[in-house]
Amino acid sequence: DDDVMLSRTRKRFEEPIAAKDGAMSWIETIKTPVFNERGEVIGTTGIARDITERKKGEEILRRSHEELEKLVYERTRELEEANLTLKKEIAERKRVEEDIRRLAMVVQQEAEAVVIADTDGNIQYVNPAFEQMTGYPRDEVLGKNPRLLYAQEHNQAGLEQLKKSIRAGASCRVILHNRRKDGRAFWNELS
């Protein structure tokens, strides 16, 4: 019964104390009232211990926690900004992809033949109008040079003019005498 009474009234304190040289220390005290047989407090018992190192550790942890919280806040802001930038880039990419899709649809449906060649002159793309005009299926011309279309009496001067314009990054129009896959000749204006 006395033990229950003692434990219910026990108090714990942490207090800073200054030494004569001005150095700060921390002590922890546990104070317990002492009662007589009538339940009156007749004194106090106490235990004191130096907790300076623990308090220093707690302070280091507190500062580290604050620094970590600051870093987390800053990193969260950076991530939010990066996320916003990424969302804008995704929206822009979707817009560009939609523009490309529309352009591809227009080129696919164009009534005029469209040929895209690489810098070596090898065919990379032809639209359906090209297939109708020349009789060559797409798969047969991809990777090949458009020379396969030249008729025997082709316009060499026009081809030279075309090559010169392409190298200069300029546009030009030439009329070429070409042949279909079945050998029939046809004239076309190339720009």
Side-chain angles (χ1 to χ4, degrees):
D1 214 287
D2 289 332
D3 289 336
V4 173
M5 180 67 101
L6 286 174
S7 65
R8 286 186 186 162
T9 57
R10 184 175 293 166
K11 302 284 185 192
R12 182 180 160 279
F13 301 94
E14 293 180 359
E15 303 170 287
I17 56 170
K20 289 182 183 180
D21 64 1
M24 290 299 295
S25 295
W26 281 85
I27 61 164
E28 174 185 55
T29 56
I30 299 173
K31 298 177 182 175
T32 306
V34 177
F35 301 94
N36 63 18
E37 53 281 341
R38 291 184 304 274
E40 301 167 335
V41 175
I42 58 170
T44 303
T45 61
I47 300 172
R49 66 180 171 154
D50 186 343
I51 58 167
T52 303
E53 292 304 313
R54 187 186 86 201
K55 288 302 242 183
K56 286 179 184 176
E58 288 173 355
E59 181 61 20
I60 290 169
L61 282 174
R62 185 191 63 75
R63 286 187 198 146
S64 295
H65 180 75
E66 286 175 0
E67 186 62 30
L68 184 60
E69 287 290 325
K70 181 181 171 186
L71 290 172
V72 166
Y73 173 78
E74 290 171 2
R75 185 64 179 143
T76 301
R77 269 196 26 222
E78 289 171 6
L79 290 172
E80 287 170 349
E81 289 172 11
N83 191 34
L84 183 60
T85 300
L86 187 58
K87 284 180 179 178
K88 288 178 183 176
E89 288 174 2
I90 289 169
E92 177 64 14
R93 176 174 273 170
K94 284 181 180 178
R95 186 193 64 74
V96 168
E97 287 173 354
E98 182 62 23
D99 288 350
I100 290 170
R101 187 189 65 72
R102 284 188 193 114
L103 180 59
M105 185 173 55
V106 167
V107 171
Q108 261 318 90
Q109 296 174 12
E110 174 63 47
E112 302 293 328
V114 175
V115 177
I116 299 174
D118 64 18
T119 55
D120 294 326
N122 298 317
I123 297 172
Q124 301 296 305
Y125 171 84
V126 295
N127 70 345
F130 172 89
E131 293 176 303
Q132 288 177 334
M133 180 185 291
T134 67
Y136 282 99
R138 178 175 194 230
D139 294 341
E140 283 187 36
V141 296
L142 291 181
K144 296 199 173 127
N145 193 289
R147 282 190 290 274
L148 68 98
L149 298 172
Y150 297 171
Q152 223 169 7
E153 63 285 338
H154 62 276
N155 178 357
Q156 188 61 38
L159 287 171
E160 292 303 320
Q161 179 187 354
L162 178 64
K163 289 177 187 175
K164 184 178 176 183
S165 295
I166 289 172
R167 279 190 225 104
S171 61
C172 75
R173 290 184 184 272
V174 296
I175 295 178
L176 298 177
H177 192 217
N178 288 324
R179 65 181 155 80
R180 293 175 44 84
K181 182 178 180 179
D182 63 12
R184 289 185 297 154
F186 69 98
W187 290 93
N188 72 302
E189 181 180 38
L190 180 66
S191 61

